[in-house]
Amino acid sequence: MSIIIPANSAVAGGYDVENSCRFNSASSDNLTLSGSSGGSTTKFTRSFWLKKSTLTVQQYLMDNSSESQIFFKLNANDTVTLGIYESSPSPAYTTELISTQLLRDPSAWYNFVIAVDYTNATKAYRARIYINNSEVTSFSTETRPGNTSTTFNTFNSSKTHYISGESGGSHMFGGYLAEVVHIDGQQLAPTSFGEFDEDSGIWKPIDVSGLTFGNNGFYLDYGDSSALGDDVSGNGNDFTVNNLTAIDQTTDTCTNNFATANSVGSQ
């Protein structure tokens, strides 16, 4: 798996990401959005670029306030989990994928793409996780939808959606996020969000402004320090900012990575 942008470097040429948003878990930084109906109950894609500040801590990157949940989190053992939990007709996970792969480099930017299509004829393709364009295929727990009639309702409801933290207000994210994109109604490949640099071979972002975002889709580029939850997709799905201020807009991004000490293996 190619690591994104070595520390203290930038990718020359191509699309430039100017800003990211810095989240401090200690101050409960997060973004919230009141959802709406009219979206897909079978397909979505979420892409984001992440740089961790803390290791060995459970941290939610997305969640929603509902008995039914769609969530993605970093686990305390530095694996990741994608979960889709439905409360009816009987409480159960329709999707639960817990990786065996460890993400333990706080100096690197990672691109995550979560791509779901419950109507896909191939069971293994109904819920997919990619890191830097490489699909995660090794799991300690692997539950996927059993048939193509399965649906989810959590992105097609009025429930509150969270970026950083779970619905109960705990397990906040600590680190940096950039280019957060949600596509409603399509299962897209990572190549919709990034490409390999011809010279370095590093996975890097591309311009996503021309994508079709769907009814409940959004695109957060963190370009306005006074409105860090501003959706620039054209849909107007703006997030409410909680405990974040203008100082949390940064220029440490997935195309301009600042040097960060790596505590893994240090004495």
Side-chain angles (χ1 to χ4, degrees):
M1 180 187 69
S2 298
I3 295 296
I4 293 180
I5 319 298
N8 198 28
S9 65
V11 171
Y15 180 69
D16 181 42
V17 176
E18 295 184 356
N19 297 110
S20 69
C21 186
R22 177 180 56 198
F23 291 80
N24 182 355
S25 57
S27 60
S28 299
D29 297 349
N30 74 354
L31 297 166
T32 56
L33 173 68
S34 294
S36 63
S37 60
S40 174
T41 60
T42 58
K43 301 177 187 180
F44 77 89
T45 307
R46 176 75 63 93
S47 173
F48 54 89
W49 302 72
L50 172 150
K51 183 177 180 180
K52 301 175 69 172
S53 293
T54 55
L55 301 174
T56 64
V57 176
Q58 184 176 206
Q59 304 169 75
Y60 278 71
L61 276 301
M62 71 176 187
D63 194 20
N64 59 276
S65 60
S66 174
E67 292 181 0
S68 299
Q69 287 181 287
I70 297 178
F71 64 87
F72 185 78
K73 65 177 180 172
L74 309 175
N75 298 313
N77 62 355
D78 295 319
T79 61
V80 301
T81 297
L82 169 63
I84 302 179
Y85 182 86
E86 294 294 337
S87 59
S88 63
S90 60
Y93 280 100
T94 57
T95 292
E96 187 180 22
L97 301 176
I98 305 176
S99 74
T100 59
Q101 180 178 331
L102 303 179
L103 302 175
R104 305 194 66 195
D105 187 354
S107 69
W109 279 89
Y110 298 95
N111 174 221
F112 288 88
V113 174
I114 301 157
V116 173
D117 177 4
Y118 275 15
T119 70
N120 198 300
T122 302
K123 184 177 181 179
Y125 296 166
R126 292 173 193 163
R128 312 177 80 169
I129 304 170
Y130 302 87
I131 304 174
N132 301 354
N133 193 49
S134 177
E135 185 166 8
V136 179
T137 57
S138 177
F139 301 98
S140 60
T141 297
E142 185 174 3
T143 302
R144 301 177 189 271
N147 60 69
T148 57
S149 64
T150 307
T151 62
F152 53 80
N153 62 25
T154 44
F155 279 144
N156 185 32
S157 69
S158 60
K159 302 300 182 181
T160 301
H161 303 297
Y162 293 81
I163 292 177
S164 174
E166 61 178 333
S167 59
S170 59
H171 303 302
M172 300 295 184
F173 171 61
Y176 301 79
L177 288 176
E179 296 288 285
V180 179
V181 179
H182 184 79
I183 304 295
D184 177 15
Q186 298 180 78
Q187 184 189 50
L188 300 181
T191 49
S192 293
F193 310 97
E195 65 184 4
F196 286 109
D197 184 77
E198 292 182 356
D199 297 323
S200 66
I202 292 172
W203 182 250
K204 65 180 185 179
I206 59 175
D207 186 358
V208 298
S209 61
L211 294 175
T212 299
F213 294 91
N215 187 66
N216 290 331
F218 55 81
Y219 171 25
L220 307 183
D221 67 354
Y222 305 115
D224 185 347
S225 63
S226 66
L228 290 171
D230 187 28
D231 169 25
V232 297
S233 72
N235 280 346
N237 291 322
D238 298 333
F239 280 72
T240 298
V241 175
N242 302 295
N243 303 316
L244 294 161
T245 66
I247 199 172
D248 294 308
Q249 182 196 62
T250 82
T251 55
D252 184 349
T253 75
C254 43
T255 58
N256 185 34
N257 190 12
F258 294 0
T260 306
N262 189 341
S263 60
V264 177
S266 62
Q267 301 298 318

PDB file of all heavy atoms in Angstrom, residues 26 29 31 36 39 46 51 62 74 87-88 131 136 139 170 176 183 200-201 215 218 251 256 258:
ATOM      1  N   ALA A  26      -9.817  16.120  22.703  1.00  0.00           N
ATOM      2  CA  ALA A  26      -9.982  16.582  24.084  1.00  0.00           C
ATOM      3  C   ALA A  26     -11.032  17.680  24.213  1.00  0.00           C
ATOM      4  O   ALA A  26     -11.667  17.818  25.264  1.00  0.00           O
ATOM      5  CB  ALA A  26      -8.648  17.066  24.639  1.00  0.00           C
ATOM      6  N   ASP A  29     -14.253  18.290  19.409  1.00  0.00           N
ATOM      7  CA  ASP A  29     -14.496  18.915  18.106  1.00  0.00           C
ATOM      8  C   ASP A  29     -15.271  17.963  17.214  1.00  0.00           C
ATOM      9  O   ASP A  29     -14.882  16.796  17.057  1.00  0.00           O
ATOM     10  CB  ASP A  29     -13.166  19.248  17.414  1.00  0.00           C
ATOM     11  CG  ASP A  29     -12.330  20.262  18.176  1.00  0.00           C
ATOM     12  OD1 ASP A  29     -12.855  20.874  19.122  1.00  0.00           O
ATOM     13  OD2 ASP A  29     -11.155  20.441  17.807  1.00  0.00           O
ATOM     14  N   LEU A  31     -18.478  17.867  13.699  1.00  0.00           N
ATOM     15  CA  LEU A  31     -19.405  18.493  12.762  1.00  0.00           C
ATOM     16  C   LEU A  31     -20.669  17.650  12.720  1.00  0.00           C
ATOM     17  O   LEU A  31     -20.593  16.414  12.731  1.00  0.00           O
ATOM     18  CB  LEU A  31     -18.790  18.570  11.358  1.00  0.00           C
ATOM     19  CG  LEU A  31     -17.528  19.416  11.205  1.00  0.00           C
ATOM     20  CD1 LEU A  31     -16.844  19.116   9.878  1.00  0.00           C
ATOM     21  CD2 LEU A  31     -17.852  20.897  11.304  1.00  0.00           C
ATOM     22  N   SER A  36     -31.872  14.206   5.782  1.00  0.00           N
ATOM     23  CA  SER A  36     -33.166  14.398   5.128  1.00  0.00           C
ATOM     24  C   SER A  36     -33.513  13.156   4.321  1.00  0.00           C
ATOM     25  O   SER A  36     -32.653  12.345   4.002  1.00  0.00           O
ATOM     26  CB  SER A  36     -33.133  15.626   4.219  1.00  0.00           C
ATOM     27  OG  SER A  36     -32.189  15.456   3.174  1.00  0.00           O
ATOM     28  N   GLY A  39     -32.887  10.190  -0.184  1.00  0.00           N
ATOM     29  CA  GLY A  39     -31.629   9.611  -0.639  1.00  0.00           C
ATOM     30  C   GLY A  39     -31.735   8.115  -0.856  1.00  0.00           C
ATOM     31  O   GLY A  39     -32.784   7.503  -0.660  1.00  0.00           O
ATOM     32  N   ARG A  46     -18.234   7.160   0.586  1.00  0.00           N
ATOM     33  CA  ARG A  46     -17.638   8.225   1.403  1.00  0.00           C
ATOM     34  C   ARG A  46     -16.117   8.183   1.198  1.00  0.00           C
ATOM     35  O   ARG A  46     -15.495   7.145   1.387  1.00  0.00           O
ATOM     36  CB  ARG A  46     -17.970   8.018   2.883  1.00  0.00           C
ATOM     37  CG  ARG A  46     -17.329   9.012   3.864  1.00  0.00           C
ATOM     38  CD  ARG A  46     -17.961  10.374   3.852  1.00  0.00           C
ATOM     39  NE  ARG A  46     -19.364  10.340   4.272  1.00  0.00           N
ATOM     40  CZ  ARG A  46     -19.767  10.536   5.539  1.00  0.00           C
ATOM     41  NH1 ARG A  46     -18.887  10.779   6.504  1.00  0.00           N
ATOM     42  NH2 ARG A  46     -21.066  10.508   5.834  1.00  0.00           N
ATOM     43  N   LYS A  51      -5.154  12.282   8.542  1.00  0.00           N
ATOM     44  CA  LYS A  51      -3.852  12.192   9.191  1.00  0.00           C
ATOM     45  C   LYS A  51      -4.101  12.078  10.690  1.00  0.00           C
ATOM     46  O   LYS A  51      -4.687  12.964  11.303  1.00  0.00           O
ATOM     47  CB  LYS A  51      -3.002  13.425   8.876  1.00  0.00           C
ATOM     48  CG  LYS A  51      -1.585  13.389   9.456  1.00  0.00           C
ATOM     49  CD  LYS A  51      -0.821  14.635   9.012  1.00  0.00           C
ATOM     50  CE  LYS A  51       0.586  14.659   9.563  1.00  0.00           C
ATOM     51  NZ  LYS A  51       1.331  15.871   9.132  1.00  0.00           N
ATOM     52  N   MET A  62     -17.265   8.699  11.310  1.00  0.00           N
ATOM     53  CA  MET A  62     -18.641   9.001  10.932  1.00  0.00           C
ATOM     54  C   MET A  62     -19.579   8.131  11.746  1.00  0.00           C
ATOM     55  O   MET A  62     -19.265   6.994  12.107  1.00  0.00           O
ATOM     56  CB  MET A  62     -18.880   8.813   9.430  1.00  0.00           C
ATOM     57  CG  MET A  62     -18.888   7.397   8.913  1.00  0.00           C
ATOM     58  SD  MET A  62     -19.295   7.360   7.138  1.00  0.00           S
ATOM     59  CE  MET A  62     -19.449   5.582   6.865  1.00  0.00           C
ATOM     60  N   LEU A  74     -11.783   4.281  13.810  1.00  0.00           N
ATOM     61  CA  LEU A  74     -10.450   3.770  14.078  1.00  0.00           C
ATOM     62  C   LEU A  74     -10.510   3.090  15.440  1.00  0.00           C
ATOM     63  O   LEU A  74     -11.010   3.668  16.407  1.00  0.00           O
ATOM     64  CB  LEU A  74      -9.441   4.925  14.122  1.00  0.00           C
ATOM     65  CG  LEU A  74      -9.455   5.893  12.937  1.00  0.00           C
ATOM     66  CD1 LEU A  74      -8.483   7.053  13.189  1.00  0.00           C
ATOM     67  CD2 LEU A  74      -9.100   5.178  11.647  1.00  0.00           C
ATOM     68  N   SER A  87     -31.959  -1.880  13.206  1.00  0.00           N
ATOM     69  CA  SER A  87     -32.739  -2.294  14.372  1.00  0.00           C
ATOM     70  C   SER A  87     -33.963  -3.123  14.011  1.00  0.00           C
ATOM     71  O   SER A  87     -34.574  -3.744  14.879  1.00  0.00           O
ATOM     72  CB  SER A  87     -33.186  -1.068  15.167  1.00  0.00           C
ATOM     73  OG  SER A  87     -33.961  -0.201  14.364  1.00  0.00           O
ATOM     74  N   SER A  88     -34.343  -3.113  12.722  1.00  0.00           N
ATOM     75  CA  SER A  88     -35.515  -3.891  12.308  1.00  0.00           C
ATOM     76  C   SER A  88     -35.230  -4.575  10.971  1.00  0.00           C
ATOM     77  O   SER A  88     -34.382  -4.101  10.220  1.00  0.00           O
ATOM     78  CB  SER A  88     -36.746  -2.977  12.174  1.00  0.00           C
ATOM     79  OG  SER A  88     -36.538  -2.009  11.166  1.00  0.00           O
ATOM     80  N   ILE A 131      -7.879   1.798   1.128  1.00  0.00           N
ATOM     81  CA  ILE A 131      -6.920   2.719   1.738  1.00  0.00           C
ATOM     82  C   ILE A 131      -5.840   2.990   0.713  1.00  0.00           C
ATOM     83  O   ILE A 131      -5.137   2.080   0.273  1.00  0.00           O
ATOM     84  CB  ILE A 131      -6.298   2.141   3.023  1.00  0.00           C
ATOM     85  CG1 ILE A 131      -7.392   1.754   4.027  1.00  0.00           C
ATOM     86  CG2 ILE A 131      -5.340   3.155   3.651  1.00  0.00           C
ATOM     87  CD1 ILE A 131      -6.866   1.041   5.266  1.00  0.00           C
ATOM     88  N   VAL A 136      -9.022  -3.216   1.174  1.00  0.00           N
ATOM     89  CA  VAL A 136      -8.806  -4.011   2.377  1.00  0.00           C
ATOM     90  C   VAL A 136      -9.554  -5.321   2.204  1.00  0.00           C
ATOM     91  O   VAL A 136     -10.773  -5.338   1.973  1.00  0.00           O
ATOM     92  CB  VAL A 136      -9.313  -3.268   3.629  1.00  0.00           C
ATOM     93  CG1 VAL A 136      -9.115  -4.121   4.882  1.00  0.00           C
ATOM     94  CG2 VAL A 136      -8.602  -1.924   3.773  1.00  0.00           C
ATOM     95  N   PHE A 139      -9.877  -9.454   7.159  1.00  0.00           N
ATOM     96  CA  PHE A 139     -10.713  -8.986   8.261  1.00  0.00           C
ATOM     97  C   PHE A 139     -10.733 -10.004   9.400  1.00  0.00           C
ATOM     98  O   PHE A 139     -10.762 -11.215   9.164  1.00  0.00           O
ATOM     99  CB  PHE A 139     -12.152  -8.769   7.780  1.00  0.00           C
ATOM    100  CG  PHE A 139     -12.277  -7.775   6.656  1.00  0.00           C
ATOM    101  CD1 PHE A 139     -12.375  -8.206   5.342  1.00  0.00           C
ATOM    102  CD2 PHE A 139     -12.296  -6.416   6.918  1.00  0.00           C
ATOM    103  CE1 PHE A 139     -12.493  -7.294   4.297  1.00  0.00           C
ATOM    104  CE2 PHE A 139     -12.412  -5.493   5.891  1.00  0.00           C
ATOM    105  CZ  PHE A 139     -12.509  -5.927   4.575  1.00  0.00           C
ATOM    106  N   SER A 170     -19.030  10.716  22.461  1.00  0.00           N
ATOM    107  CA  SER A 170     -17.731  10.210  22.917  1.00  0.00           C
ATOM    108  C   SER A 170     -16.917   9.705  21.736  1.00  0.00           C
ATOM    109  O   SER A 170     -17.372   9.697  20.591  1.00  0.00           O
ATOM    110  CB  SER A 170     -17.931   9.084  23.940  1.00  0.00           C
ATOM    111  OG  SER A 170     -18.674   8.022  23.375  1.00  0.00           O
ATOM    112  N   TYR A 176      -6.322  15.280  11.485  1.00  0.00           N
ATOM    113  CA  TYR A 176      -6.652  16.181  10.396  1.00  0.00           C
ATOM    114  C   TYR A 176      -7.512  15.459   9.364  1.00  0.00           C
ATOM    115  O   TYR A 176      -7.253  14.295   9.043  1.00  0.00           O
ATOM    116  CB  TYR A 176      -5.368  16.677   9.708  1.00  0.00           C
ATOM    117  CG  TYR A 176      -4.418  17.420  10.620  1.00  0.00           C
ATOM    118  CD1 TYR A 176      -3.583  16.724  11.492  1.00  0.00           C
ATOM    119  CD2 TYR A 176      -4.345  18.806  10.602  1.00  0.00           C
ATOM    120  CE1 TYR A 176      -2.704  17.399  12.334  1.00  0.00           C
ATOM    121  CE2 TYR A 176      -3.464  19.495  11.430  1.00  0.00           C
ATOM    122  CZ  TYR A 176      -2.645  18.786  12.298  1.00  0.00           C
ATOM    123  OH  TYR A 176      -1.790  19.451  13.131  1.00  0.00           O
ATOM    124  N   ILE A 183     -21.050  10.661  -1.484  1.00  0.00           N
ATOM    125  CA  ILE A 183     -21.813  10.445  -2.716  1.00  0.00           C
ATOM    126  C   ILE A 183     -23.038   9.609  -2.368  1.00  0.00           C
ATOM    127  O   ILE A 183     -22.920   8.479  -1.910  1.00  0.00           O
ATOM    128  CB  ILE A 183     -20.971   9.724  -3.784  1.00  0.00           C
ATOM    129  CG1 ILE A 183     -19.675  10.495  -4.080  1.00  0.00           C
ATOM    130  CG2 ILE A 183     -21.788   9.506  -5.050  1.00  0.00           C
ATOM    131  CD1 ILE A 183     -19.879  11.858  -4.705  1.00  0.00           C
ATOM    132  N   SER A 200       6.403   9.961  -8.682  1.00  0.00           N
ATOM    133  CA  SER A 200       6.703   9.371  -7.375  1.00  0.00           C
ATOM    134  C   SER A 200       5.946   8.087  -7.099  1.00  0.00           C
ATOM    135  O   SER A 200       6.350   7.306  -6.229  1.00  0.00           O
ATOM    136  CB  SER A 200       6.368  10.386  -6.276  1.00  0.00           C
ATOM    137  OG  SER A 200       4.970  10.623  -6.236  1.00  0.00           O
ATOM    138  N   GLY A 201       4.841   7.848  -7.800  1.00  0.00           N
ATOM    139  CA  GLY A 201       4.013   6.683  -7.517  1.00  0.00           C
ATOM    140  C   GLY A 201       3.136   6.846  -6.291  1.00  0.00           C
ATOM    141  O   GLY A 201       2.486   5.892  -5.855  1.00  0.00           O
ATOM    142  N   ASN A 215     -28.700  13.446  -3.765  1.00  0.00           N
ATOM    143  CA  ASN A 215     -29.550  14.286  -2.922  1.00  0.00           C
ATOM    144  C   ASN A 215     -28.921  14.616  -1.568  1.00  0.00           C
ATOM    145  O   ASN A 215     -28.924  15.771  -1.135  1.00  0.00           O
ATOM    146  CB  ASN A 215     -30.898  13.594  -2.691  1.00  0.00           C
ATOM    147  CG  ASN A 215     -31.892  14.471  -1.957  1.00  0.00           C
ATOM    148  OD1 ASN A 215     -32.339  15.492  -2.469  1.00  0.00           O
ATOM    149  ND2 ASN A 215     -32.239  14.081  -0.745  1.00  0.00           N
ATOM    150  N   PHE A 218     -22.440  15.529  -0.141  1.00  0.00           N
ATOM    151  CA  PHE A 218     -21.795  16.783   0.252  1.00  0.00           C
ATOM    152  C   PHE A 218     -20.296  16.707  -0.025  1.00  0.00           C
ATOM    153  O   PHE A 218     -19.745  15.636  -0.271  1.00  0.00           O
ATOM    154  CB  PHE A 218     -22.042  17.095   1.733  1.00  0.00           C
ATOM    155  CG  PHE A 218     -21.642  16.005   2.695  1.00  0.00           C
ATOM    156  CD1 PHE A 218     -20.328  15.827   3.092  1.00  0.00           C
ATOM    157  CD2 PHE A 218     -22.608  15.143   3.217  1.00  0.00           C
ATOM    158  CE1 PHE A 218     -19.966  14.819   3.979  1.00  0.00           C
ATOM    159  CE2 PHE A 218     -22.259  14.124   4.098  1.00  0.00           C
ATOM    160  CZ  PHE A 218     -20.933  13.968   4.475  1.00  0.00           C
ATOM    161  N   THR A 251      -3.101  24.356   6.803  1.00  0.00           N
ATOM    162  CA  THR A 251      -2.540  24.113   5.464  1.00  0.00           C
ATOM    163  C   THR A 251      -1.712  22.838   5.422  1.00  0.00           C
ATOM    164  O   THR A 251      -1.009  22.588   4.444  1.00  0.00           O
ATOM    165  CB  THR A 251      -1.691  25.318   5.019  1.00  0.00           C
ATOM    166  OG1 THR A 251      -0.686  25.599   6.002  1.00  0.00           O
ATOM    167  CG2 THR A 251      -2.565  26.554   4.828  1.00  0.00           C
ATOM    168  N   ASN A 256       0.427  18.736   0.846  1.00  0.00           N
ATOM    169  CA  ASN A 256       1.457  19.559   1.491  1.00  0.00           C
ATOM    170  C   ASN A 256       1.600  19.088   2.931  1.00  0.00           C
ATOM    171  O   ASN A 256       1.130  19.735   3.875  1.00  0.00           O
ATOM    172  CB  ASN A 256       1.070  21.040   1.445  1.00  0.00           C
ATOM    173  CG  ASN A 256       2.161  21.941   1.990  1.00  0.00           C
ATOM    174  OD1 ASN A 256       3.348  21.670   1.846  1.00  0.00           O
ATOM    175  ND2 ASN A 256       1.749  23.024   2.635  1.00  0.00           N
ATOM    176  N   PHE A 258       3.009  18.322   6.460  1.00  0.00           N
ATOM    177  CA  PHE A 258       3.975  18.838   7.423  1.00  0.00           C
ATOM    178  C   PHE A 258       4.641  17.688   8.171  1.00  0.00           C
ATOM    179  O   PHE A 258       4.006  16.661   8.423  1.00  0.00           O
ATOM    180  CB  PHE A 258       3.311  19.774   8.418  1.00  0.00           C
ATOM    181  CG  PHE A 258       2.767  21.052   7.842  1.00  0.00           C
ATOM    182  CD1 PHE A 258       2.871  21.333   6.469  1.00  0.00           C
ATOM    183  CD2 PHE A 258       2.141  21.990   8.637  1.00  0.00           C
ATOM    184  CE1 PHE A 258       2.369  22.493   5.938  1.00  0.00           C
ATOM    185  CE2 PHE A 258       1.637  23.173   8.107  1.00  0.00           C
ATOM    186  CZ  PHE A 258       1.745  23.422   6.755  1.00  0.00           C
TER     187      PHE A 258
END
